Amino acid sequence: MKTAVFPGSFDPITLGHCDIIERGLSIFDEIVLAIGINASKKYMFSLDERKEFLEKTFKNYPNVRVSTYEQLTVSYCKSIDAKYILRGLRNTSDFNYEQAIAQTNKIMEGHIESVFLMTAPELSHISSSIVRDVMQHNGKYEHLVPHTVRK
Ligand code: ADP
C-alpha cells in the first residue's frame, strides 16, 4: 500500500491544495492530510476548524484521511508507515524552501521519499496567506477555496 502524507498548515485549505491532493491520488493508494501543530505559530482558523474543512472537503474520498501531528514530519510518517511525503510547488521560492526541507528529511530518514507536483497554471497564484488577507478585508474568496471553507 503506497501511503503518502501531505503535510501542511491548511490555514485554510485552498483549491491549490485540492488540486495537488486529487492528482496525488493517481499516484498513491492513500493520502493522509496531516496538519502540523506548531504552538508558536499564529493561525487564522483553529485546529478544529482547519480539520473540519479538510474532513468535509474530502468526505466522499475513501482514500483520503485527515490527521494532526506534533512531531517531525518524517517521524510522523514512520509512525504510520507512510513512505512518501507529498508537496506542491508553485514557484522558485517554494522550490528553495522545499529543497532544504526535503534534503534534511532525506538525511534523517533516507527511505522516505518526497514527491513534488507542479501547481496547475490556473492555481499557482493561490496561497493560504492570500486567502486570509482577502477574508480579513472582506473580499471575494469563494473562487480560491473549496465551498466547505467559510469565514
Ligand atoms: P506549510 O505551512 O507547510 O507550507 P501550506 O498549507 O501553506 O503549509 O502548504 C502545504 C503544501 O501545499 C505546500 O507544499 C505548498 O507548496 C502546497 N501548496 C499551497 N498552495 C498551492 C497551490 N496553489 N498550488 C500547488 N501547491 C500548493
Side-chain angles (χ1 to χ4, degrees):
M1 172 109 150
K2 275 193 177 159
T3 300
V5 167
F6 185 31
S9 310
F10 303 106
D11 187 31
I13 183 167
T14 69
L15 292 181
H17 294 127
C18 292
D19 177 61
I20 298 294
I21 296 160
E22 300 251 4
R23 286 160 56 203
L25 284 171
S26 67
I27 305 172
F28 302 108
D29 300 315
E30 176 187 50
I31 297 180
V32 179
L33 309 181
I35 308 176
I37 300 175
N38 181 345
S40 61
K41 220 168 145 182
K42 278 243 167 211
Y43 298 100
M44 178 168 179
F45 292 98
S46 70
L47 181 62
D48 284 347
E49 286 172 318
R50 287 179 280 144
K51 196 161 174 263
E52 196 182 320
F53 290 152
L54 294 179
E55 283 166 351
K56 282 191 175 158
T57 308
F58 291 97
K59 72 171 192 296
N60 295 326
Y61 289 67
N63 305 340
V64 177
R65 287 197 278 138
V66 179
S67 172
T68 61
Y69 70 103
E70 271 183 276
Q71 66 270 58
L72 287 171
T73 302
V74 283
S75 307
Y76 175 67
C77 290
K78 252 178 103 175
S79 75
I80 62 163
D81 203 24
K83 303 209 166 41
Y84 304 90
I85 296 174
L86 175 64
R87 296 283 286 181
L89 288 179
R90 284 164 293 189
N91 46 43
T92 50
S93 314
D94 272 358
F95 176 84
N96 291 334
Y97 177 72
E98 297 293 343
Q99 182 184 33
I101 293 189
Q103 290 175 336
T104 307
N105 285 341
K106 193 81 188 160
I107 292 166
M108 289 190 291
E109 291 295 339
H111 66 287
I112 296 178
E113 284 296 347
S114 295
V115 176
F116 302 95
L117 290 181
M118 190 63 65
T119 179
E122 68 277 16
L123 301 173
S124 64
H125 61 289
I126 302 179
S127 67
S128 295
S129 63
I130 284 182
V131 171
R132 292 196 297 274
D133 270 357
V134 171
M135 284 179 162
Q136 265 154 4
H137 296 95
N138 297 316
K140 273 189 189 293
Y141 60 85
E142 291 79 2
H143 58 294
L144 303 171
V145 296
H147 69 272
T148 46
V149 173
R150 286 297 168 257
K151 233 194 334 181

Short mmCIF file of all heavy atoms in Angstrom, two decimals, residues 23-77:
data_model
loop_
_atom_site.label_atom_id
_atom_site.label_comp_id
_atom_site.label_asym_id
_atom_site.label_seq_id
_atom_site.Cartn_x
_atom_site.Cartn_y
_atom_site.Cartn_z
N ARG A 23 -4.65 15.04 -7.74
CA ARG A 23 -3.66 14.47 -8.67
C ARG A 23 -2.79 13.44 -7.96
O ARG A 23 -2.38 12.44 -8.56
CB ARG A 23 -2.84 15.60 -9.29
CG ARG A 23 -3.66 16.38 -10.33
CD ARG A 23 -3.08 17.74 -10.60
NE ARG A 23 -1.69 17.67 -11.01
CZ ARG A 23 -0.83 18.69 -10.89
NH1 ARG A 23 -1.22 19.83 -10.36
NH2 ARG A 23 0.40 18.55 -11.29
N GLY A 24 -2.55 13.66 -6.69
CA GLY A 24 -1.75 12.70 -5.91
C GLY A 24 -2.43 11.35 -5.83
O GLY A 24 -1.77 10.31 -5.75
N LEU A 25 -3.76 11.37 -5.88
CA LEU A 25 -4.50 10.10 -5.76
C LEU A 25 -4.28 9.19 -6.98
O LEU A 25 -4.59 8.01 -6.93
CB LEU A 25 -5.99 10.37 -5.56
CG LEU A 25 -6.35 10.83 -4.15
CD1 LEU A 25 -7.80 11.29 -4.08
CD2 LEU A 25 -6.08 9.72 -3.14
N SER A 26 -3.79 9.76 -8.10
CA SER A 26 -3.50 8.89 -9.25
C SER A 26 -2.12 8.23 -9.08
O SER A 26 -1.75 7.35 -9.85
CB SER A 26 -3.55 9.70 -10.55
OG SER A 26 -2.48 10.62 -10.57
N ILE A 27 -1.37 8.64 -8.07
CA ILE A 27 -0.04 8.07 -7.82
C ILE A 27 -0.05 7.17 -6.59
O ILE A 27 0.59 6.12 -6.57
CB ILE A 27 0.99 9.20 -7.60
CG1 ILE A 27 0.99 10.18 -8.78
CG2 ILE A 27 2.40 8.63 -7.38
CD1 ILE A 27 1.85 11.42 -8.54
N PHE A 28 -0.78 7.60 -5.55
CA PHE A 28 -0.75 6.89 -4.26
C PHE A 28 -2.08 6.18 -3.98
O PHE A 28 -3.12 6.62 -4.46
CB PHE A 28 -0.44 7.88 -3.13
CG PHE A 28 0.86 8.61 -3.33
CD1 PHE A 28 0.87 9.95 -3.69
CD2 PHE A 28 2.07 7.95 -3.20
CE1 PHE A 28 2.07 10.62 -3.89
CE2 PHE A 28 3.28 8.61 -3.41
CZ PHE A 28 3.27 9.95 -3.76
N ASP A 29 -2.00 5.10 -3.17
CA ASP A 29 -3.22 4.38 -2.80
C ASP A 29 -4.01 5.18 -1.77
O ASP A 29 -5.23 5.08 -1.69
CB ASP A 29 -2.87 3.02 -2.19
CG ASP A 29 -2.12 2.16 -3.18
OD1 ASP A 29 -2.55 2.12 -4.35
OD2 ASP A 29 -1.08 1.57 -2.80
N GLU A 30 -3.26 5.91 -0.95
CA GLU A 30 -3.91 6.62 0.15
C GLU A 30 -3.12 7.90 0.45
O GLU A 30 -1.90 7.90 0.39
CB GLU A 30 -3.88 5.72 1.38
CG GLU A 30 -4.42 6.34 2.62
CD GLU A 30 -4.23 5.47 3.85
OE1 GLU A 30 -3.10 4.98 4.09
OE2 GLU A 30 -5.20 5.29 4.58
N ILE A 31 -3.84 8.98 0.74
CA ILE A 31 -3.17 10.22 1.14
C ILE A 31 -3.68 10.64 2.51
O ILE A 31 -4.89 10.67 2.76
CB ILE A 31 -3.41 11.35 0.11
CG1 ILE A 31 -2.80 10.97 -1.24
CG2 ILE A 31 -2.80 12.68 0.61
CD1 ILE A 31 -2.97 12.00 -2.33
N VAL A 32 -2.74 10.90 3.41
CA VAL A 32 -3.09 11.37 4.75
C VAL A 32 -2.83 12.87 4.79
O VAL A 32 -1.69 13.31 4.62
CB VAL A 32 -2.24 10.65 5.83
CG1 VAL A 32 -2.61 11.16 7.22
CG2 VAL A 32 -2.43 9.14 5.74
N LEU A 33 -3.89 13.64 4.97
CA LEU A 33 -3.74 15.09 5.10
C LEU A 33 -3.39 15.36 6.55
O LEU A 33 -4.21 15.12 7.46
CB LEU A 33 -5.06 15.80 4.73
CG LEU A 33 -5.67 15.39 3.39
CD1 LEU A 33 -6.96 16.18 3.13
CD2 LEU A 33 -4.67 15.60 2.26
N ALA A 34 -2.17 15.80 6.77
CA ALA A 34 -1.67 15.88 8.14
C ALA A 34 -1.40 17.34 8.51
O ALA A 34 -0.52 17.99 7.93
CB ALA A 34 -0.40 15.05 8.28
N ILE A 35 -2.17 17.83 9.46
CA ILE A 35 -2.00 19.22 9.92
C ILE A 35 -0.92 19.23 10.99
O ILE A 35 -1.06 18.60 12.04
CB ILE A 35 -3.30 19.79 10.50
CG1 ILE A 35 -4.47 19.61 9.52
CG2 ILE A 35 -3.12 21.27 10.84
CD1 ILE A 35 -5.82 20.07 10.07
N GLY A 36 0.17 19.93 10.69
CA GLY A 36 1.26 20.03 11.65
C GLY A 36 0.90 21.05 12.73
O GLY A 36 0.52 22.17 12.43
N ILE A 37 1.02 20.63 13.98
CA ILE A 37 0.68 21.54 15.09
C ILE A 37 1.96 22.25 15.53
O ILE A 37 2.92 21.62 15.93
CB ILE A 37 0.08 20.76 16.28
CG1 ILE A 37 -1.20 20.05 15.83
CG2 ILE A 37 -0.19 21.70 17.46
CD1 ILE A 37 -1.82 19.16 16.89
N ASN A 38 1.93 23.58 15.40
CA ASN A 38 3.09 24.38 15.78
C ASN A 38 2.61 25.44 16.78
O ASN A 38 1.97 26.42 16.40
CB ASN A 38 3.68 25.03 14.51
CG ASN A 38 4.90 25.86 14.82
OD1 ASN A 38 5.17 26.18 15.97
ND2 ASN A 38 5.64 26.20 13.77
N ALA A 39 2.90 25.19 18.05
CA ALA A 39 2.35 26.03 19.13
C ALA A 39 2.80 27.48 19.00
O ALA A 39 2.10 28.39 19.45
CB ALA A 39 2.76 25.46 20.48
N SER A 40 3.94 27.72 18.35
CA SER A 40 4.44 29.10 18.31
C SER A 40 3.91 29.88 17.09
O SER A 40 4.21 31.05 16.93
CB SER A 40 5.97 29.10 18.30
OG SER A 40 6.42 28.41 17.16
N LYS A 41 3.13 29.22 16.24
CA LYS A 41 2.62 29.88 15.04
C LYS A 41 1.20 30.39 15.27
O LYS A 41 0.40 29.74 15.95
CB LYS A 41 2.62 28.86 13.87
CG LYS A 41 3.05 29.44 12.54
CD LYS A 41 3.31 28.35 11.52
CE LYS A 41 2.92 28.77 10.14
NZ LYS A 41 3.13 27.72 9.14
N LYS A 42 0.93 31.57 14.70
CA LYS A 42 -0.43 32.15 14.82
C LYS A 42 -1.25 31.71 13.62
O LYS A 42 -0.78 31.81 12.48
CB LYS A 42 -0.34 33.67 14.82
CG LYS A 42 0.00 34.23 16.18
CD LYS A 42 -1.16 35.11 16.66
CE LYS A 42 -1.04 35.44 18.14
NZ LYS A 42 -2.32 35.60 18.79
N TYR A 43 -2.46 31.24 13.85
CA TYR A 43 -3.32 30.79 12.75
C TYR A 43 -4.59 31.64 12.72
O TYR A 43 -5.03 32.16 13.74
CB TYR A 43 -3.70 29.32 12.95
CG TYR A 43 -2.51 28.39 12.94
CD1 TYR A 43 -1.96 27.93 14.13
CD2 TYR A 43 -1.93 27.99 11.73
CE1 TYR A 43 -0.86 27.08 14.12
CE2 TYR A 43 -0.83 27.15 11.72
CZ TYR A 43 -0.30 26.70 12.91
OH TYR A 43 0.79 25.87 12.90
N MET A 44 -5.19 31.72 11.53
CA MET A 44 -6.48 32.41 11.43
C MET A 44 -7.60 31.48 11.89
O MET A 44 -8.51 31.89 12.59
CB MET A 44 -6.72 32.84 9.98
CG MET A 44 -8.05 33.53 9.78
SD MET A 44 -8.11 34.32 8.15
CE MET A 44 -9.75 35.00 8.21
N PHE A 45 -7.50 30.22 11.47
CA PHE A 45 -8.52 29.24 11.84
C PHE A 45 -7.94 28.29 12.90
O PHE A 45 -6.76 27.93 12.84
CB PHE A 45 -8.96 28.43 10.61
CG PHE A 45 -9.71 29.26 9.61
CD1 PHE A 45 -9.06 29.78 8.50
CD2 PHE A 45 -11.06 29.54 9.78
CE1 PHE A 45 -9.74 30.57 7.58
CE2 PHE A 45 -11.75 30.32 8.86
CZ PHE A 45 -11.09 30.84 7.76
N SER A 46 -8.81 27.90 13.85
CA SER A 46 -8.34 26.99 14.89
C SER A 46 -8.04 25.63 14.29
O SER A 46 -8.46 25.32 13.16
CB SER A 46 -9.43 26.83 15.96
OG SER A 46 -10.51 26.10 15.42
N LEU A 47 -7.36 24.81 15.06
CA LEU A 47 -7.03 23.46 14.58
C LEU A 47 -8.31 22.69 14.24
O LEU A 47 -8.40 22.03 13.19
CB LEU A 47 -6.22 22.72 15.65
CG LEU A 47 -5.77 21.31 15.31
CD1 LEU A 47 -4.85 21.30 14.10
CD2 LEU A 47 -5.07 20.69 16.52
N ASP A 48 -9.32 22.81 15.10
CA ASP A 48 -10.58 22.10 14.86
C ASP A 48 -11.24 22.57 13.57
O ASP A 48 -11.77 21.77 12.80
CB ASP A 48 -11.55 22.32 16.03
CG ASP A 48 -11.17 21.48 17.23
OD1 ASP A 48 -10.32 20.58 17.07
OD2 ASP A 48 -11.70 21.73 18.33
N GLU A 49 -11.21 23.88 13.33
CA GLU A 49 -11.83 24.41 12.10
C GLU A 49 -11.08 23.91 10.86
O GLU A 49 -11.68 23.48 9.88
CB GLU A 49 -11.80 25.95 12.11
CG GLU A 49 -12.80 26.56 13.05
CD GLU A 49 -12.62 28.08 13.19
OE1 GLU A 49 -11.47 28.56 13.28
OE2 GLU A 49 -13.64 28.77 13.22
N ARG A 50 -9.74 23.96 10.92
CA ARG A 50 -8.95 23.52 9.76
C ARG A 50 -9.18 22.04 9.49
O ARG A 50 -9.28 21.61 8.34
CB ARG A 50 -7.46 23.81 10.02
CG ARG A 50 -7.16 25.31 9.91
CD ARG A 50 -5.70 25.60 10.18
NE ARG A 50 -5.38 25.60 11.58
CZ ARG A 50 -4.26 25.17 12.12
NH1 ARG A 50 -3.32 24.67 11.35
NH2 ARG A 50 -4.06 25.22 13.41
N LYS A 51 -9.28 21.27 10.56
CA LYS A 51 -9.51 19.83 10.43
C LYS A 51 -10.90 19.57 9.82
O LYS A 51 -11.05 18.75 8.92
CB LYS A 51 -9.40 19.20 11.82
CG LYS A 51 -9.23 17.72 11.83
CD LYS A 51 -8.67 17.25 13.17
CE LYS A 51 -8.65 15.75 13.20
NZ LYS A 51 -9.79 15.16 13.88
N GLU A 52 -11.87 20.31 10.31
CA GLU A 52 -13.25 20.14 9.82
C GLU A 52 -13.34 20.51 8.33
O GLU A 52 -14.01 19.83 7.56
CB GLU A 52 -14.19 21.01 10.65
CG GLU A 52 -15.64 20.62 10.47
CD GLU A 52 -16.55 21.54 11.29
OE1 GLU A 52 -16.22 21.90 12.43
OE2 GLU A 52 -17.62 21.90 10.74
N PHE A 53 -12.66 21.57 7.92
CA PHE A 53 -12.66 21.94 6.50
C PHE A 53 -12.13 20.78 5.65
O PHE A 53 -12.69 20.44 4.61
CB PHE A 53 -11.79 23.17 6.25
CG PHE A 53 -12.31 24.48 6.80
CD1 PHE A 53 -11.43 25.49 7.16
CD2 PHE A 53 -13.68 24.70 6.95
CE1 PHE A 53 -11.90 26.71 7.66
CE2 PHE A 53 -14.15 25.92 7.44
CZ PHE A 53 -13.26 26.92 7.80
N LEU A 54 -11.03 20.20 6.11
CA LEU A 54 -10.42 19.10 5.35
C LEU A 54 -11.37 17.90 5.31
O LEU A 54 -11.59 17.29 4.26
CB LEU A 54 -9.09 18.67 5.97
CG LEU A 54 -7.93 19.66 5.95
CD1 LEU A 54 -6.70 19.06 6.62
CD2 LEU A 54 -7.57 20.06 4.53
N GLU A 55 -11.93 17.57 6.48
CA GLU A 55 -12.81 16.39 6.55
C GLU A 55 -14.04 16.57 5.66
O GLU A 55 -14.44 15.64 4.94
CB GLU A 55 -13.23 16.14 8.01
CG GLU A 55 -12.11 15.49 8.78
CD GLU A 55 -12.32 15.52 10.30
OE1 GLU A 55 -13.26 16.20 10.77
OE2 GLU A 55 -11.52 14.88 11.00
N LYS A 56 -14.62 17.75 5.69
CA LYS A 56 -15.82 17.99 4.88
C LYS A 56 -15.48 17.97 3.39
O LYS A 56 -16.23 17.45 2.57
CB LYS A 56 -16.45 19.34 5.24
CG LYS A 56 -17.24 19.28 6.53
CD LYS A 56 -18.04 20.55 6.71
CE LYS A 56 -18.94 20.45 7.93
NZ LYS A 56 -19.33 21.77 8.42
N THR A 57 -14.33 18.57 3.04
CA THR A 57 -13.96 18.65 1.62
C THR A 57 -13.75 17.25 1.04
O THR A 57 -14.11 17.00 -0.12
CB THR A 57 -12.66 19.47 1.46
OG1 THR A 57 -12.82 20.71 2.12
CG2 THR A 57 -12.33 19.71 -0.01
N PHE A 58 -13.18 16.35 1.84
CA PHE A 58 -12.84 15.03 1.30
C PHE A 58 -13.70 13.90 1.89
O PHE A 58 -13.28 12.75 1.91
CB PHE A 58 -11.33 14.77 1.50
CG PHE A 58 -10.51 15.67 0.62
CD1 PHE A 58 -9.99 16.85 1.12
CD2 PHE A 58 -10.33 15.37 -0.72
CE1 PHE A 58 -9.29 17.72 0.29
CE2 PHE A 58 -9.63 16.23 -1.55
CZ PHE A 58 -9.11 17.41 -1.05
N LYS A 59 -14.90 14.26 2.32
CA LYS A 59 -15.74 13.23 2.97
C LYS A 59 -16.13 12.10 2.02
O LYS A 59 -16.35 10.98 2.46
CB LYS A 59 -16.95 13.85 3.66
CG LYS A 59 -18.04 14.37 2.76
CD LYS A 59 -19.24 14.74 3.64
CE LYS A 59 -20.49 14.98 2.87
NZ LYS A 59 -20.47 16.13 1.94
N ASN A 60 -16.14 12.38 0.72
CA ASN A 60 -16.50 11.31 -0.23
C ASN A 60 -15.29 10.63 -0.85
O ASN A 60 -15.41 9.96 -1.87
CB ASN A 60 -17.40 11.88 -1.33
CG ASN A 60 -18.73 12.35 -0.77
OD1 ASN A 60 -19.24 11.74 0.17
ND2 ASN A 60 -19.26 13.44 -1.30
N TYR A 61 -14.15 10.81 -0.24
CA TYR A 61 -12.91 10.20 -0.76
C TYR A 61 -12.42 9.15 0.24
O TYR A 61 -11.80 9.49 1.25
CB TYR A 61 -11.82 11.27 -0.93
CG TYR A 61 -12.04 12.24 -2.06
CD1 TYR A 61 -13.08 13.16 -2.03
CD2 TYR A 61 -11.18 12.25 -3.15
CE1 TYR A 61 -13.27 14.06 -3.06
CE2 TYR A 61 -11.36 13.16 -4.19
CZ TYR A 61 -12.41 14.05 -4.14
OH TYR A 61 -12.59 14.94 -5.16
N PRO A 62 -12.70 7.86 -0.05
CA PRO A 62 -12.30 6.83 0.91
C PRO A 62 -10.78 6.73 1.08
O PRO A 62 -10.31 6.20 2.10
CB PRO A 62 -12.89 5.54 0.32
CG PRO A 62 -13.22 5.86 -1.10
CD PRO A 62 -13.43 7.34 -1.20
N ASN A 63 -10.02 7.23 0.12
CA ASN A 63 -8.56 7.09 0.20
C ASN A 63 -7.86 8.31 0.79
O ASN A 63 -6.64 8.43 0.71
CB ASN A 63 -7.96 6.83 -1.19
CG ASN A 63 -8.59 5.64 -1.84
OD1 ASN A 63 -9.17 4.80 -1.14
ND2 ASN A 63 -8.49 5.55 -3.15
N VAL A 64 -8.67 9.24 1.32
CA VAL A 64 -8.08 10.43 1.94
C VAL A 64 -8.47 10.46 3.41
O VAL A 64 -9.65 10.35 3.75
CB VAL A 64 -8.58 11.72 1.24
CG1 VAL A 64 -8.02 12.96 1.94
CG2 VAL A 64 -8.18 11.72 -0.23
N ARG A 65 -7.44 10.54 4.27
CA ARG A 65 -7.68 10.62 5.72
C ARG A 65 -7.15 11.94 6.23
O ARG A 65 -6.23 12.51 5.65
CB ARG A 65 -6.89 9.53 6.45
CG ARG A 65 -7.40 8.15 6.29
CD ARG A 65 -6.82 7.26 7.38
NE ARG A 65 -5.48 6.77 7.08
CZ ARG A 65 -4.50 6.71 7.97
NH1 ARG A 65 -4.66 7.19 9.19
NH2 ARG A 65 -3.32 6.20 7.64
N VAL A 66 -7.70 12.39 7.34
CA VAL A 66 -7.24 13.65 7.93
C VAL A 66 -6.67 13.36 9.31
O VAL A 66 -7.23 12.56 10.07
CB VAL A 66 -8.42 14.65 8.06
CG1 VAL A 66 -7.95 15.95 8.69
CG2 VAL A 66 -9.04 14.92 6.68
N SER A 67 -5.55 14.01 9.60
CA SER A 67 -4.90 13.73 10.87
C SER A 67 -4.14 14.97 11.34
O SER A 67 -3.99 15.94 10.58
CB SER A 67 -3.96 12.55 10.64
OG SER A 67 -3.16 12.34 11.74
N THR A 68 -3.67 14.95 12.57
CA THR A 68 -2.82 16.04 13.07
C THR A 68 -1.57 15.40 13.69
O THR A 68 -1.60 14.23 14.07
CB THR A 68 -3.54 16.86 14.16
OG1 THR A 68 -3.85 16.00 15.24
CG2 THR A 68 -4.82 17.49 13.64
N TYR A 69 -0.51 16.18 13.75
CA TYR A 69 0.71 15.62 14.37
C TYR A 69 1.55 16.74 14.97
O TYR A 69 1.46 17.89 14.52
CB TYR A 69 1.51 14.81 13.35
CG TYR A 69 2.17 15.64 12.27
CD1 TYR A 69 3.53 15.92 12.30
CD2 TYR A 69 1.42 16.17 11.22
CE1 TYR A 69 4.14 16.68 11.31
CE2 TYR A 69 2.01 16.94 10.24
CZ TYR A 69 3.37 17.19 10.29
OH TYR A 69 3.96 17.97 9.32
N GLU A 70 2.36 16.38 15.96
CA GLU A 70 3.17 17.39 16.64
C GLU A 70 4.66 17.16 16.45
O GLU A 70 5.46 18.04 16.71
CB GLU A 70 2.84 17.40 18.13
CG GLU A 70 1.69 18.35 18.44
CD GLU A 70 1.38 18.43 19.92
OE1 GLU A 70 0.63 17.55 20.40
OE2 GLU A 70 1.86 19.34 20.57
N GLN A 71 5.04 15.95 16.02
CA GLN A 71 6.47 15.66 15.91
C GLN A 71 7.02 16.08 14.54
O GLN A 71 6.31 16.71 13.75
CB GLN A 71 6.75 14.17 16.19
CG GLN A 71 6.18 13.18 15.19
CD GLN A 71 4.78 12.69 15.51
OE1 GLN A 71 3.85 13.48 15.64
NE2 GLN A 71 4.60 11.38 15.58
N LEU A 72 8.26 15.73 14.26
CA LEU A 72 8.80 15.98 12.93
C LEU A 72 7.96 15.24 11.90
O LEU A 72 7.46 14.14 12.18
CB LEU A 72 10.24 15.45 12.84
CG LEU A 72 11.32 16.22 13.59
CD1 LEU A 72 12.63 15.44 13.57
CD2 LEU A 72 11.51 17.59 12.94
N THR A 73 7.87 15.80 10.69
CA THR A 73 7.05 15.15 9.66
C THR A 73 7.56 13.73 9.37
O THR A 73 6.76 12.80 9.25
CB THR A 73 7.06 15.99 8.36
OG1 THR A 73 6.58 17.30 8.67
CG2 THR A 73 6.17 15.38 7.30
N VAL A 74 8.88 13.55 9.29
CA VAL A 74 9.40 12.20 8.99
C VAL A 74 9.08 11.22 10.13
O VAL A 74 8.82 10.04 9.87
CB VAL A 74 10.91 12.19 8.67
CG1 VAL A 74 11.20 12.68 7.27
CG2 VAL A 74 11.72 12.92 9.72
N SER A 75 9.07 11.71 11.36
CA SER A 75 8.74 10.82 12.49
C SER A 75 7.27 10.42 12.41
O SER A 75 6.91 9.27 12.66
CB SER A 75 8.99 11.52 13.83
OG SER A 75 10.27 12.02 13.89
N TYR A 76 6.44 11.38 12.01
CA TYR A 76 5.02 11.06 11.87
C TYR A 76 4.83 10.04 10.75
O TYR A 76 4.09 9.05 10.91
CB TYR A 76 4.21 12.34 11.59
CG TYR A 76 2.77 12.02 11.32
CD1 TYR A 76 1.97 11.50 12.33
CD2 TYR A 76 2.23 12.18 10.04
CE1 TYR A 76 0.65 11.15 12.08
CE2 TYR A 76 0.91 11.83 9.78
CZ TYR A 76 0.13 11.32 10.80
OH TYR A 76 -1.17 10.95 10.54
N CYS A 77 5.54 10.23 9.63
CA CYS A 77 5.43 9.28 8.51
C CYS A 77 5.81 7.87 8.98
O CYS A 77 5.12 6.90 8.68
CB CYS A 77 6.37 9.68 7.37
SG CYS A 77 5.84 11.16 6.51
#
